[in-house]
Amino acid sequence: MVPRASLPPSFGLLTFQPLKRRHCAECRRGPLPLLVLGDGASRCLDCADLGHLVFLPRGDTALTRRSREESGLSAVVVRFNRRKGRYERQGVLVEEAALARAEQRCLADAEARRRRRVRDARRRAAQDELFAQAFAAEIRRLFPGCPAARARDIAAHASERGSGRVGRSAAGRALTEGAVTAAVVASVRHLDTPYDRLLMSGVPRHEARRRIAPLVRTVLRGWAEAGLGSAG
Ligand SMILES: [Zn+2]
């Protein structure tokens, strides 16, 4: 009844989900959802001394591997796929206590992964915060007249993770004068000039930038010179 030639060699102890109605050769129960082959006969799990095992369907590879590791006795459940002409793994039979221990190990792993993610996120946030502080300090060094709160806003905006903004670029991370100035210019453009309104009214970007350039220069000069004389 079982085309043995098509059995994969490495499955170990096998049980079969029969395609036809089968009864146990020993206790005559049936039809059997699962059977074990031996000595030319098919037996139910109880008669084959596997009745105490529980079925774990395929799908969770880590849980399956660990359940088999934890289980003194285990068997692979296969079913013959007629169309493909081969047996396919449906799951495993393992000891219930082994399955429970394996589930515990998988849960512990998931919890460990979750904690690591939280730690990583905290570390990244701390790095971002340090970087934003350094960025803000550099803004204030180059532009002493820039209000402190504004410098913090610019730095935070420029260094937002995943933003691809100047603060996240290599130059920004190195806090070059060019990168810091670029972030300040971008902020001034949007907040201290009619740049956004010009864009909204359909003025092309380059033309809008040309029109507001003198105003940007004035604001920047004022902020840069504030440290030398009048407060900004
Ligand atoms: Zn039986």
Side-chain angles (χ1 to χ4, degrees):
M1 61 155 281
V2 175
R4 286 189 168 276
S6 58
L7 277 177
S10 60
F11 273 18
L13 191 48
L14 284 175
T15 62
F16 300 84
Q17 290 177 347
L19 300 178
K20 296 175 183 166
R21 293 164 63 88
R22 300 285 177 193
H23 288 71
C24 176
E26 231 168 282
C27 70
R28 299 289 160 198
R29 266 189 301 171
L32 301 175
L34 267 181
L35 57 82
V36 182
L37 296 174
D39 309 324
S42 48
R43 288 181 178 78
C44 71
L45 292 183
D46 287 329
C47 290
D49 295 330
L50 299 178
H52 61 300
L53 302 182
V54 293
F55 179 57
L56 171 64
R58 58 185 287 216
D60 187 333
T61 34
L63 185 59
T64 297
R65 180 172 47 77
R66 287 176 167 172
S67 296
R68 295 187 78 188
E69 283 169 12
E70 295 278 350
S71 205
L73 185 63
S74 68
V76 174
V77 177
V78 296
R79 183 168 59 204
F80 190 69
N81 183 321
R82 284 199 180 106
R83 195 167 45 80
K84 294 180 181 165
R86 64 160 190 254
Y87 282 93
E88 287 176 342
R89 200 186 257 265
Q90 305 300 312
V92 290
L93 293 171
V94 291
E95 293 158 0
E96 193 160 11
L99 177 57
R101 284 194 296 275
E103 280 171 337
Q104 276 306 318
R105 283 169 64 189
C106 287
L107 278 176
D109 267 12
E111 175 63 13
R113 279 195 301 275
R114 191 190 65 78
R115 286 188 194 165
R116 192 180 316 129
R117 274 196 303 274
V118 169
R119 279 199 306 278
D120 288 349
R122 273 202 205 111
R123 190 182 312 121
R124 278 196 303 272
Q127 285 165 354
D128 286 1
E129 177 57 27
L130 282 178
F131 177 73
Q133 281 172 14
F135 204 112
E138 190 60 11
I139 291 173
R140 295 271 286 163
R141 191 182 71 78
L142 295 173
F143 304 99
C146 175
R150 181 72 181 277
R152 279 197 299 276
D153 283 351
I154 295 171
H157 184 72
S159 47
E160 248 168 56
R161 197 169 282 272
S163 67
R165 292 191 189 104
V166 62
R168 307 298 312 179
S169 69
R173 280 197 302 278
L175 289 177
T176 64
E177 186 166 337
V180 173
T181 303
V184 173
V185 166
S187 170
V188 167
R189 199 181 279 143
H190 291 293
L191 295 181
D192 302 292
T193 78
Y195 182 64
D196 290 355
R197 226 178 317 129
L198 290 174
L199 291 184
M200 282 301 283
S201 64
V203 178
R205 207 163 57 90
H206 283 288
E207 171 60 14
R209 285 194 179 198
R210 196 190 60 76
R211 281 194 217 172
I212 57 148
L215 191 46
V216 171
R217 273 198 299 276
T218 303
V219 173
L220 256 56
R221 198 180 306 124
W223 282 358
E225 289 167 357
L228 308 173
S230 61

